[in-house]
Amino acid sequence: MMSTKADQLELVFRHLVTALGDRLHAHEHMSLELTGEQSQFVRFNRAKVRQIGTVSDGQVRLTLMADQRTGYYDLPLTGIWDQDWHHAQAALDTLRRELPQLPVDPYLVLPSGTANSGELYQGMIPAPRDVPDLVLAEVAGLDFAGLYAGGRVVRGYGDSVGQYHWFATDSFTLDYSLFTTDGQAVKGTYAGSHWQPNRYTARLDQAKQQLTRLAQPRKTVPAGSYRTYFAPAAIAELLSMFSWGGISEAALQRGDSAFRLLQTGEQRLSPLFTLSEDFSHGLVPRFNQLGDMTPVHVPLIVQGELVNTLVNARTAKEYGKVANGANGGETLRSPDLRPGNLLPDHVLSTLDTGLYVSNLHYLNWSDRPTGRITGMTRYACFWVEAGQMIAPIENLRFDESLYRCFGSHLVALTQTQDFVPEVGSYEHRDLGGMWVPGAIVDDFVYTL
Amino acid sequence: MAIAGYGGDPVDPLVVFNLVSALNPMIPDLTQLLQSLHVDADWIGLRAMREVSTRRSVRRQHPTHNGTRLDMGIMVEVVVDGQLGYGATNSFDRDDVQRAADQAHLQAIAARQWGLHACTTSVRPPVVGHYRSPCAKPLDVLTAGDVNDILLRLCRHLTVSSQVVQAIATAVTREIDIWLVSSSGSDVHQTLSVVEGHLSATAEDGAIIQQRSDHGYLAHSYQGGWECFLTDDLWARSQHIGEQAVELLTAEECPTLKTTLVLAPDQMMLQLHESVGHPLELDRILGDERNYAGGSFVKPQDFGRLAYGSPLMNVVFDPTIDGELASYQFDDIGAPAQRQYLIRSGTLERGLGSLESQERLRVRGVACARATSWNRPPIDRMANINLEPGSTPLPELIAQIDDGIYMETNRSWSIDDQRYKFQFGCEYAKRIEQGQITRTLRNPNYRATTPEFWHSLRLVGDRSTWQHYGTPLCGKGEPNQLIWVGHGSPVCAFEQVDVFGGGAA
């Protein structure tokens, strides 16, 4: 039933691309971008259901371009042609009325490619009626909180030069925490497109094991500098800052980026640090807002040196750069941080004495030009002495520069990567995730 | 069930919805729609929402955004044997709404044996009424061309010298209609008219880059019409922003020291939001939010007892202020909204919790079940959270400080999941020496823990220093929701706070 509605959305979207294209005048261009989903959301608290429901949604952005001017109109796409065509016609009329009033946009880029694509990833996700049983039967007696989000997500693109893309995927994410009676917690995620009960059980077993380690008094660690192991989920939090005033070419050009010193060569990161966009995993669409297909592999930082920034066509036109298929916001969509040589079994012995940090929380730039970030440790974090986990810690605030953390003070990256799924759902369910190893960093600065 | 009227003028619901249908041909008569649905439930409610927004933005004399958004949809909620379930759709087609109702029913049944709290229809009170934002200059009085002309002019005003390398001017308008109808007789229509404005200037001199904005990103967000944006001081303000961005290029770095910290109302907005608003949300205290934004250091037994801050601290939930961003008559489950003290003379009195949370925690709350749109369920939210003015005029407040730092406008915010250890950064600061404001400082930051900080509140500015701002970007909830909140505050002084600058931590 969920896929039926999504199929209906595709039919109507394809029809809309054609019908709007037929109505365009010779000097006009347009693009249509669709974001849609049929999702179930189940929120849990104390191993019970707090809120449960479904959402059927679709939103189309119609961008009209003419006479070096552009405007867009976002409208609902319901899959019912009469409703959707009514809104689309009204949107086109509004844009045609507005465009002549707008200033010329010198950096307008018209769609010009010839790309077409279609990807459908059918999955085996649980029937909505079964989700509470499937999730909660396994956590009886535990203090479990979190969110299950599952269903079909679609992304579409069509334009006036004949490019057309469709991406549909059945997927779920279960993002959860398990708590001890005194409020300490372990974080876990289980994501995919085929729900496999044994995998869920195995994930939970790992989390339960960590939970037992938390069942001892917390140690208060004073502010100071500590050698620290960051688990992959914590590294993913730090990497998320690359998408906010980081690796975007526009941000670099406009003085909004922490990586200007990296770009000018005044700073570099560790030779251990190699980051790229890698779309071979297939979890997110490769097409962008202009219908361009991003290369499957875009190296960004290679052995500590910035070799590419994320450049979309508009930025390229404004600053005389070469576009590499980046999205409108020039954010990471499918990042892969290469692993290193540290064997998972050697993490604690290599750390020796310091902090084992499972997660980080609420990061923000504290001084962007110097790459300094503040944030908090969160979830299962431990004090380690001589390679032994001694006690969970009271959460600490940090304030540290990326140039030190991923540069001069980066000791080692683990030999294995984890997939850290994207679980965000502002306006719509996000897709994809990050492939990241864990890392040991020397003298990481904690301030409160 | 009897229909009770609260607050606003009672109106004939049929008149309202006939009018609605005429104005919005895609939105049918919701009362009739409700009656046409077949659902075997103890209660059923419809919450429909239609938002038309525009976003126009100019950067360095060129347009970057000229967009309109129409978002509309409907959430069907049902109660079956004490379990709520929802189904939401962006289609008002009767068959699609019936499917959403069927989904809501199926969800309630699936969750029935796992329900966290068995609810009754008391958490969805029957109410009739309407609300409309004040609006002197309606949103359609300016054309797209008019708005772009104004934004271009603002960019020119922001660009006070060649050192200003970026100037951005943005105007956002929203008209939001929210309707509630239910099988217990609720019939509510609220229309919010909102204007959000943002101005910023980035100045650069070699490796030094400084930004100054109009009290923070989209902080000029108010309910009303274009009169909220086209204020008498708009042009002078934009020029001042450009001048201060340039001034910061040669300013001293904020020193590292423990001192008296004076915060302007635009930074108090963030301070109140993060260290008073969020910790008082009952759903955080109940644990609903623990997997995402976190819990709270506040415990259920703290209400009525905890000395949250100094006796100068009086904080209200006030959805009745004309023009403040999150004013309304009813929350999104129909609870009538009233002004309430959260903290009085420093003592915690009441939490930010909906009828559901109040019933679960047995703590007093407010009308704050809010949803960002039709496709997200209502959760406990801030609305307008304001610090009441004190009695100290600004000159007197500054005169009482021998050594201090005055900070304006948030630029960095981070606080832990229990809302305890925070670190905030500001755009602009001034040194206070021997009762006088002296040198300008750049890259100011401060850090503290919430109780220690609020207990250090020593001086509260009088009514003349009180300002209110808003933000449309408060993130919370699973699934995630961004919502609009308002915050008003006087200038405040806090003693013995750790402040520091940029570069080395």
Side-chain angles (χ1 to χ4, degrees), chain A residues 304-343:
Chain A
E305 284 187 29
L306 185 70
V307 296
N308 280 301
T309 56
L310 293 173
V311 192
N312 67 34
R314 186 183 176 84
T315 301
K317 188 167 184 180
E318 182 168 358
Y319 300 106
K321 301 286 176 184
V322 178
N324 56 16
N327 61 10
E330 298 180 337
T331 57
L332 294 169
R333 288 181 284 163
S334 198
D336 181 302
L337 179 61
R338 286 285 83 206
N341 297 319
L342 179 61
L343 294 169

Short mmCIF file of all heavy atoms in Angstrom, two decimals, chain A residues 304-343:
data_model
loop_
_atom_site.label_atom_id
_atom_site.label_comp_id
_atom_site.label_asym_id
_atom_site.label_seq_id
_atom_site.Cartn_x
_atom_site.Cartn_y
_atom_site.Cartn_z
N GLY A 304 45.59 14.56 4.43
CA GLY A 304 45.70 15.83 5.15
C GLY A 304 45.64 17.07 4.30
O GLY A 304 45.58 18.18 4.83
N GLU A 305 45.67 16.92 2.97
CA GLU A 305 45.65 18.10 2.10
C GLU A 305 44.31 18.24 1.42
O GLU A 305 43.75 17.26 0.92
CB GLU A 305 46.75 17.97 1.04
CG GLU A 305 48.12 18.26 1.59
CD GLU A 305 49.18 18.30 0.51
OE1 GLU A 305 48.85 18.66 -0.63
OE2 GLU A 305 50.33 17.94 0.82
N LEU A 306 43.84 19.46 1.38
CA LEU A 306 42.56 19.75 0.73
C LEU A 306 42.78 19.69 -0.78
O LEU A 306 43.49 20.52 -1.35
CB LEU A 306 42.09 21.15 1.15
CG LEU A 306 40.71 21.57 0.66
CD1 LEU A 306 39.61 20.79 1.35
CD2 LEU A 306 40.50 23.07 0.89
N VAL A 307 42.17 18.70 -1.43
CA VAL A 307 42.36 18.57 -2.88
C VAL A 307 41.11 19.01 -3.65
O VAL A 307 41.20 19.37 -4.82
CB VAL A 307 42.75 17.13 -3.29
CG1 VAL A 307 44.10 16.77 -2.70
CG2 VAL A 307 41.69 16.12 -2.85
N ASN A 308 39.97 18.95 -3.01
CA ASN A 308 38.73 19.45 -3.62
C ASN A 308 37.83 20.01 -2.54
O ASN A 308 37.78 19.48 -1.43
CB ASN A 308 37.95 18.30 -4.30
CG ASN A 308 38.52 17.95 -5.65
OD1 ASN A 308 38.58 18.78 -6.55
ND2 ASN A 308 38.93 16.70 -5.79
N THR A 309 37.13 21.06 -2.91
CA THR A 309 36.03 21.50 -2.05
C THR A 309 34.74 21.05 -2.74
O THR A 309 34.77 20.52 -3.85
CB THR A 309 36.04 23.03 -1.91
OG1 THR A 309 35.99 23.60 -3.21
CG2 THR A 309 37.31 23.48 -1.20
N LEU A 310 33.61 21.26 -2.08
CA LEU A 310 32.33 20.94 -2.73
C LEU A 310 31.88 22.17 -3.50
O LEU A 310 31.69 23.24 -2.91
CB LEU A 310 31.30 20.52 -1.67
CG LEU A 310 31.61 19.19 -0.97
CD1 LEU A 310 30.63 18.95 0.18
CD2 LEU A 310 31.57 18.03 -1.96
N VAL A 311 31.72 22.02 -4.80
CA VAL A 311 31.42 23.16 -5.66
C VAL A 311 30.17 22.86 -6.49
O VAL A 311 30.16 21.89 -7.27
CB VAL A 311 32.59 23.45 -6.65
CG1 VAL A 311 32.37 24.80 -7.32
CG2 VAL A 311 33.93 23.39 -5.95
N ASN A 312 29.14 23.65 -6.31
CA ASN A 312 28.00 23.49 -7.22
C ASN A 312 28.15 24.46 -8.39
O ASN A 312 29.03 25.32 -8.41
CB ASN A 312 26.66 23.62 -6.48
CG ASN A 312 26.41 25.02 -5.93
OD1 ASN A 312 26.81 26.02 -6.53
ND2 ASN A 312 25.76 25.09 -4.77
N ALA A 313 27.27 24.32 -9.37
CA ALA A 313 27.45 25.07 -10.61
C ALA A 313 27.30 26.58 -10.39
O ALA A 313 27.95 27.39 -11.05
CB ALA A 313 26.44 24.58 -11.65
N ARG A 314 26.43 26.95 -9.46
CA ARG A 314 26.22 28.37 -9.20
C ARG A 314 27.49 29.00 -8.59
O ARG A 314 27.93 30.06 -9.01
CB ARG A 314 25.02 28.53 -8.26
CG ARG A 314 24.63 29.96 -8.03
CD ARG A 314 23.47 30.10 -7.04
NE ARG A 314 23.23 31.52 -6.81
CZ ARG A 314 22.48 32.28 -7.60
NH1 ARG A 314 21.86 31.76 -8.63
NH2 ARG A 314 22.34 33.57 -7.34
N THR A 315 28.04 28.32 -7.60
CA THR A 315 29.29 28.79 -6.99
C THR A 315 30.40 28.85 -8.04
O THR A 315 31.20 29.80 -8.07
CB THR A 315 29.71 27.84 -5.85
OG1 THR A 315 28.67 27.81 -4.89
CG2 THR A 315 30.99 28.29 -5.18
N ALA A 316 30.43 27.82 -8.88
CA ALA A 316 31.47 27.77 -9.92
C ALA A 316 31.37 29.01 -10.81
O ALA A 316 32.39 29.63 -11.16
CB ALA A 316 31.31 26.50 -10.75
N LYS A 317 30.15 29.38 -11.15
CA LYS A 317 29.97 30.54 -12.03
C LYS A 317 30.37 31.83 -11.31
O LYS A 317 31.00 32.71 -11.90
CB LYS A 317 28.51 30.60 -12.48
CG LYS A 317 28.25 31.64 -13.55
CD LYS A 317 26.88 31.44 -14.17
CE LYS A 317 26.67 32.44 -15.32
NZ LYS A 317 25.36 32.28 -15.93
N GLU A 318 30.00 31.93 -10.04
CA GLU A 318 30.29 33.16 -9.31
C GLU A 318 31.79 33.35 -9.07
O GLU A 318 32.29 34.47 -9.13
CB GLU A 318 29.53 33.16 -7.97
CG GLU A 318 29.75 34.45 -7.18
CD GLU A 318 28.78 34.61 -6.01
OE1 GLU A 318 27.91 33.74 -5.83
OE2 GLU A 318 28.92 35.62 -5.28
N TYR A 319 32.50 32.25 -8.80
CA TYR A 319 33.89 32.40 -8.38
C TYR A 319 34.88 31.82 -9.38
O TYR A 319 36.07 31.66 -9.06
CB TYR A 319 34.09 31.78 -7.00
CG TYR A 319 33.22 32.43 -5.94
CD1 TYR A 319 32.10 31.78 -5.44
CD2 TYR A 319 33.49 33.74 -5.51
CE1 TYR A 319 31.28 32.39 -4.49
CE2 TYR A 319 32.67 34.35 -4.56
CZ TYR A 319 31.57 33.67 -4.06
OH TYR A 319 30.77 34.28 -3.14
N GLY A 320 34.40 31.48 -10.57
CA GLY A 320 35.31 30.98 -11.60
C GLY A 320 35.94 29.65 -11.24
O GLY A 320 37.14 29.44 -11.45
N LYS A 321 35.14 28.75 -10.66
CA LYS A 321 35.64 27.42 -10.30
C LYS A 321 35.03 26.37 -11.22
O LYS A 321 34.17 26.68 -12.04
CB LYS A 321 35.27 27.11 -8.84
CG LYS A 321 35.82 28.10 -7.84
CD LYS A 321 37.30 27.91 -7.64
CE LYS A 321 37.88 28.97 -6.71
NZ LYS A 321 39.33 28.85 -6.58
N VAL A 322 35.44 25.14 -11.02
CA VAL A 322 34.84 24.03 -11.79
C VAL A 322 33.90 23.27 -10.86
O VAL A 322 34.29 22.86 -9.77
CB VAL A 322 35.95 23.08 -12.32
CG1 VAL A 322 35.32 21.91 -13.07
CG2 VAL A 322 36.90 23.86 -13.22
N ALA A 323 32.67 23.13 -11.31
CA ALA A 323 31.68 22.44 -10.47
C ALA A 323 31.98 20.95 -10.41
O ALA A 323 32.49 20.37 -11.36
CB ALA A 323 30.28 22.67 -11.04
N ASN A 324 31.66 20.34 -9.26
CA ASN A 324 31.83 18.88 -9.15
C ASN A 324 30.56 18.20 -8.66
O ASN A 324 30.60 17.19 -7.98
CB ASN A 324 33.03 18.54 -8.27
CG ASN A 324 32.96 19.16 -6.89
OD1 ASN A 324 31.89 19.60 -6.47
ND2 ASN A 324 34.07 19.21 -6.18
N GLY A 325 29.41 18.78 -9.04
CA GLY A 325 28.14 18.10 -8.78
C GLY A 325 27.63 18.24 -7.36
O GLY A 325 26.73 17.51 -6.94
N ALA A 326 28.19 19.19 -6.61
CA ALA A 326 27.73 19.37 -5.22
C ALA A 326 26.28 19.85 -5.20
O ALA A 326 25.78 20.41 -6.19
CB ALA A 326 28.63 20.38 -4.52
N ASN A 327 25.63 19.65 -4.08
CA ASN A 327 24.23 20.07 -3.96
C ASN A 327 24.18 21.58 -3.67
O ASN A 327 25.21 22.25 -3.55
CB ASN A 327 23.51 19.25 -2.89
CG ASN A 327 24.13 19.43 -1.50
OD1 ASN A 327 24.98 20.29 -1.29
ND2 ASN A 327 23.69 18.63 -0.56
N GLY A 328 22.97 22.10 -3.56
CA GLY A 328 22.79 23.54 -3.39
C GLY A 328 23.53 24.08 -2.18
O GLY A 328 24.13 25.16 -2.24
N GLY A 329 23.51 23.35 -1.08
CA GLY A 329 24.15 23.80 0.15
C GLY A 329 25.62 23.40 0.24
O GLY A 329 26.30 23.73 1.22
N GLU A 330 26.11 22.68 -0.76
CA GLU A 330 27.49 22.18 -0.78
C GLU A 330 27.82 21.45 0.53
O GLU A 330 28.81 21.74 1.22
CB GLU A 330 28.48 23.33 -1.05
CG GLU A 330 28.22 23.95 -2.42
CD GLU A 330 29.13 25.11 -2.81
OE1 GLU A 330 29.69 25.75 -1.88
OE2 GLU A 330 29.26 25.38 -4.00
N THR A 331 26.94 20.51 0.86
CA THR A 331 27.13 19.71 2.08
C THR A 331 27.54 18.29 1.70
O THR A 331 27.29 17.84 0.58
CB THR A 331 25.83 19.64 2.90
OG1 THR A 331 24.79 19.11 2.07
CG2 THR A 331 25.42 21.02 3.39
N LEU A 332 28.15 17.59 2.67
CA LEU A 332 28.51 16.19 2.46
C LEU A 332 27.23 15.36 2.34
O LEU A 332 26.31 15.50 3.15
CB LEU A 332 29.33 15.68 3.64
CG LEU A 332 30.72 16.31 3.83
CD1 LEU A 332 31.31 15.89 5.18
CD2 LEU A 332 31.65 15.87 2.71
N ARG A 333 27.17 14.50 1.34
CA ARG A 333 25.99 13.65 1.17
C ARG A 333 26.29 12.18 1.41
O ARG A 333 25.42 11.43 1.82
CB ARG A 333 25.43 13.83 -0.25
CG ARG A 333 24.74 15.17 -0.45
CD ARG A 333 24.18 15.28 -1.85
NE ARG A 333 25.23 15.54 -2.83
CZ ARG A 333 25.08 15.37 -4.14
NH1 ARG A 333 23.94 14.90 -4.62
NH2 ARG A 333 26.06 15.66 -4.98
N SER A 334 27.52 11.76 1.12
CA SER A 334 27.85 10.35 1.31
C SER A 334 29.33 10.22 1.70
O SER A 334 30.11 9.60 1.00
CB SER A 334 27.55 9.59 0.01
OG SER A 334 27.47 8.21 0.26
N PRO A 335 29.70 10.83 2.83
CA PRO A 335 31.12 10.90 3.18
C PRO A 335 31.71 9.57 3.63
O PRO A 335 31.04 8.76 4.27
CB PRO A 335 31.15 11.92 4.32
CG PRO A 335 29.78 11.91 4.89
CD PRO A 335 28.84 11.56 3.78
N ASP A 336 32.97 9.42 3.28
CA ASP A 336 33.72 8.22 3.66
C ASP A 336 35.07 8.68 4.18
O ASP A 336 35.85 9.27 3.44
CB ASP A 336 33.88 7.33 2.42
CG ASP A 336 34.63 6.04 2.72
OD1 ASP A 336 35.78 6.10 3.20
OD2 ASP A 336 34.08 4.96 2.45
N LEU A 337 35.31 8.44 5.45
CA LEU A 337 36.61 8.75 6.05
C LEU A 337 37.39 7.43 6.07
O LEU A 337 36.97 6.47 6.72
CB LEU A 337 36.45 9.33 7.45
CG LEU A 337 37.73 9.67 8.20
CD1 LEU A 337 38.54 10.74 7.47
CD2 LEU A 337 37.41 10.16 9.62
N ARG A 338 38.51 7.42 5.34
CA ARG A 338 39.28 6.18 5.21
C ARG A 338 39.75 5.66 6.57
O ARG A 338 40.13 6.45 7.44
CB ARG A 338 40.52 6.42 4.34
CG ARG A 338 40.27 6.55 2.85
CD ARG A 338 39.98 5.22 2.18
NE ARG A 338 38.57 4.81 2.32
CZ ARG A 338 38.14 3.57 2.29
NH1 ARG A 338 38.98 2.57 2.18
NH2 ARG A 338 36.86 3.28 2.39
N PRO A 339 39.72 4.35 6.75
CA PRO A 339 40.21 3.78 8.02
C PRO A 339 41.74 3.82 8.08
O PRO A 339 42.40 4.12 7.09
CB PRO A 339 39.70 2.35 7.98
CG PRO A 339 39.50 2.03 6.53
CD PRO A 339 39.20 3.33 5.83
N GLY A 340 42.27 3.49 9.25
CA GLY A 340 43.72 3.48 9.44
C GLY A 340 44.21 2.09 9.77
O GLY A 340 43.69 1.10 9.24
N ASN A 341 45.19 2.00 10.68
CA ASN A 341 45.81 0.70 10.97
C ASN A 341 45.52 0.16 12.36
O ASN A 341 45.95 -0.94 12.70
CB ASN A 341 47.33 0.83 10.84
CG ASN A 341 47.72 1.19 9.42
OD1 ASN A 341 47.14 0.64 8.48
ND2 ASN A 341 48.65 2.11 9.26
N LEU A 342 44.84 0.94 13.16
CA LEU A 342 44.64 0.53 14.57
C LEU A 342 43.63 -0.62 14.64
O LEU A 342 42.47 -0.45 14.25
CB LEU A 342 44.16 1.73 15.38
CG LEU A 342 43.88 1.50 16.86
CD1 LEU A 342 45.13 1.05 17.60
CD2 LEU A 342 43.32 2.77 17.50
N LEU A 343 44.08 -1.74 15.15
CA LEU A 343 43.16 -2.88 15.28
C LEU A 343 42.16 -2.60 16.40
O LEU A 343 42.53 -2.05 17.44
CB LEU A 343 43.96 -4.15 15.62
CG LEU A 343 44.90 -4.63 14.51
CD1 LEU A 343 45.83 -5.72 15.04
CD2 LEU A 343 44.09 -5.15 13.33
#
